[in-house]
Amino acid sequence: FFFDFHALKGTNMLPRCLFLCLSLLAVGGCNLIAWPLYVISPANQMKSVPAECDAKLSGKKVAVITYVDQRIKHEYPMVQEYIGRAIAGEFEKDEVKKNFKGTTLVDVVRVLSFQQERIDWDEMPRTEVAKALGADYLMFVTLQEFTTREPGSINLFRGMVTGTVSMYDASAPERDAMVYRSQDIRIIYPEKRPEGLLGDDNRIVMHMTVLQFADKVVKKFYNHKIPA
């Protein structure tokens, strides 16, 4: 509401209009004042982040394989499958699909079976691993850390994962096959503080931690936007 107070000056309407405006402010409070600012404020700004790896994955088959040491595998025996499925899920997103047209992934079950059958798979040349899985590229994920518990606590859950991702071109000689290797990728969930959860709620922390890690891994390979 807008009033021409100069036009009302000297009339008996001025006190009434002032009373009405003050009443509206009392009822609406900060929301009424903030509304114009909300209307004219700019939308959330985004900035573009270029892909770190420029491997041409469109139309190619990619095998995703995860390496963890025995300590992590003993405590989280399903972690390799979780990571593989989460990364496969990222490739199903529309934003990712439009960047990798025709890209397919080797089935997670096939990769896991290969790891079980070839216990020395991590010592094989990476190009041989890719070819054994029928892939053009091998995405090799290495986890240095994986836990869903706050250090020193049995009741506080907090997902923490540190890992790297490398990409190998199976068509290149082994010495030249690695076309990309990331810096450490670090995820903490929840980020600000651990959660005091009970029972199956631990799986929520693991689920969210793995999803956020997979999201960061796949974003290394295509241009994307993040909040500025």
Side-chain angles (χ1 to χ4, degrees):
F1 296 94
F2 298 93
F3 295 96
D4 186 349
F5 290 106
H6 289 287
L8 297 174
K9 191 174 181 180
T11 71
N12 60 1
M13 292 295 295
L14 181 58
R16 295 181 183 180
C17 290
L18 286 172
F19 176 78
L20 175 60
C21 289
L22 291 173
S23 299
L24 288 172
L25 288 174
V27 174
C30 295
N31 290 335
L32 184 61
I33 298 172
W35 182 80
L37 299 177
Y38 171 79
V39 171
I40 64 174
S41 64
N44 291 335
Q45 298 296 312
M46 303 294 286
K47 67 177 180 180
S48 297
V49 179
E52 292 184 12
C53 175
D54 59 358
K56 307 303 181 184
L57 301 182
S58 293
K60 304 295 184 181
K61 178 165 281 191
V62 179
V64 179
I65 198 163
T66 304
Y67 171 82
V68 296
D69 62 29
Q70 289 302 315
R71 175 185 56 83
I72 296 175
K73 192 172 182 179
H74 176 74
E75 189 169 0
Y76 301 96
M78 301 292 288
V79 67
Q80 290 168 304
E81 180 175 352
Y82 292 158
I83 295 293
R85 292 194 182 281
I87 291 176
E90 288 295 315
F91 274 89
E92 289 299 315
K93 293 182 177 179
D94 290 339
E95 179 187 8
V96 180
K97 278 184 175 181
K98 70 182 182 183
N99 286 279
F100 301 121
K101 295 180 180 179
T103 301
T104 57
L105 267 60
V106 177
D107 186 75
V108 175
V109 174
R110 182 178 177 186
V111 174
L112 293 171
S113 297
F114 172 78
Q115 289 177 286
Q116 292 173 357
E117 293 166 4
R118 292 292 302 268
I119 58 173
D120 63 338
W121 69 268
D122 55 309
E123 299 175 2
M124 295 172 57
R126 304 304 185 227
T127 53
E128 288 187 18
V129 174
K131 291 173 183 176
L133 292 168
D136 301 299
Y137 283 90
L138 179 71
M139 184 185 291
F140 195 99
V141 179
T142 302
L143 299 186
Q144 292 95 27
E145 173 194 28
F146 188 91
T147 183
T148 58
R149 293 186 182 275
E150 181 75 1
S153 174
I154 61 173
N155 296 318
L156 294 176
F157 295 120
R158 197 178 200 184
M160 287 176 277
V161 56
T162 304
T164 60
V165 58
S166 303
M167 186 69 83
Y168 295 86
D169 182 352
S171 66
E174 181 66 24
R175 65 180 179 275
D176 302 319
M178 187 170 71
V179 296
Y180 172 73
R181 179 180 173 83
S182 74
Q183 299 294 321
D184 283 353
I185 301 169
R186 174 78 166 160
I187 294 294
I188 299 177
Y189 178 87
E191 187 173 354
K192 293 185 178 179
R193 62 182 184 275
E195 298 286 350
L197 303 175
L198 298 174
D200 288 345
D201 289 341
N202 180 39
R203 294 190 298 177
I204 298 173
V205 172
M206 177 180 284
H207 179 71
M208 293 303 299
T209 303
V210 169
L211 287 184
Q212 290 188 16
F213 179 76
D215 175 70
K216 278 203 170 184
V217 165
V218 177
K219 277 187 166 62
K220 301 294 184 183
F221 300 95
Y222 68 97
N223 300 332
H224 58 280
K225 292 184 178 182
I226 61 173

